[in-house]
Amino acid sequence: VKDVFIWTRLDADDGLNVAYMEYIQSQAIRYFLPDRYEMEIMTEIPENSKGAMEKGRPKEAKNGTLVKSDGVEENQKWTKNTYTPPQWTYWCAQLNIDWFLTDPIHDPHHKNGTVYPVMHSNVCVSPGVTVALRGAFDPLQVPRLDHDKIVSYLKPKGGDLCGRTGLSVFDPHEMGKDEKEPEDDGSCFHMATGGISAVRSRTPTSAGMMGLHPDANQMGSVRLKPKLTPYMWHSMKKNFHISNKELLGTNAYFADHIYDIAEENARGQCTNGHSCKSTSKDLLQQYVDLKVEMDGGFDVTDSITADKNSAVE
């Protein structure tokens, strides 16, 4: 069976680059249906190759051999590359944008919110996490992994886990001058690189209530690279089709309804199919307490109303 099924995660308060799924589908053809891909996989590759070829030589050669003018290495040893497609594999997005709320009254210079970069090499963010598998393969046999455990679990286990062999490596002479295929390390996981893939809204709509404010690394990144911020704003419009008008409206709506949104999120905590973290409940409860402002508070997350003034005498 040559059918390949692809599942991609996207929460309602996040977004994907309009080209992300095109990239994923192209890579799925590369790994699962190599006979339909635009290039042929090399049947012999240089020893020590790590899945990324430069003109006539592996990207990383450990033997330090010299390169002739025609691009062929002297004394380069080649090994047979028998490629077998996987039964399943994971992808996730490496370079992403975090969009944060601002107070349009007290921060009039950022009425459309603020953006900061988020980039991980060893951890997957949730938007864009993708699993592809062959149609005849039992989905229950694919490891179900939390987004922050995908890389650490899959990378060390290599390709045996998903039934693949060899490397998906192509002759660089068949590529255009600026073409470059993402590296293949032979494992059951691939990180999507080459551009901004996802945008996460860091608001009280988040089930986990994590990272509602930019961290020190994010703020340090934009200080060191001042051109990064305008680049992200440009990407929001070009790659995500999010207009400034929509951002202004969304930020203003949150400013007017932030406590109602937090209360609704709090009511959903620990219900069937939803997150149940004590830290999330505590943070949401702070928002709710500010809204209710009653003696004793209103414990929405545990469905308890406590009003000292109504105590039985």
Side-chain angles (χ1 to χ4, degrees), residues 228-242:
L228 192 54
T229 298
Y231 173 74
M232 288 186 291
W233 283 122
H234 177 72
S235 180
M236 292 276 278
K237 181 178 180 180
K238 179 182 177 182
N239 302 127
F240 296 90
H241 293 187
I242 302 174

Side-chain angles (χ1 to χ4, degrees), residues 146-173:
D146 292 337
H147 69 90
D148 57 341
K149 303 292 192 300
I150 293 172
V151 182
S152 60
Y153 179 82
L154 294 180
K155 279 286 189 181
K157 295 184 179 296
D160 291 342
L161 188 65
C162 56
R164 62 166 295 186
T165 63
L167 296 176
S168 177
V169 181
F170 309 99
D171 187 340
H173 292 94

Side-chain angles (χ1 to χ4, degrees), residues 26-69:
S26 173
Q27 292 297 296
I29 294 173
R30 170 187 174 182
Y31 287 104
F32 286 88
L33 306 169
D35 56 319
R36 300 186 187 181
Y37 200 57
E38 56 191 16
M39 291 181 290
E40 291 187 11
I41 294 175
M42 297 178 67
T43 57
E44 288 188 327
I45 58 176
E47 287 187 358
N48 304 322
S49 173
K50 291 190 175 182
M53 299 285 291
E54 294 178 354
K55 296 291 183 182
R57 60 173 296 170
K59 186 177 182 181
E60 295 185 17
K62 296 180 180 178
N63 54 14
T65 53
L66 299 175
V67 180
K68 294 180 179 179
S69 59

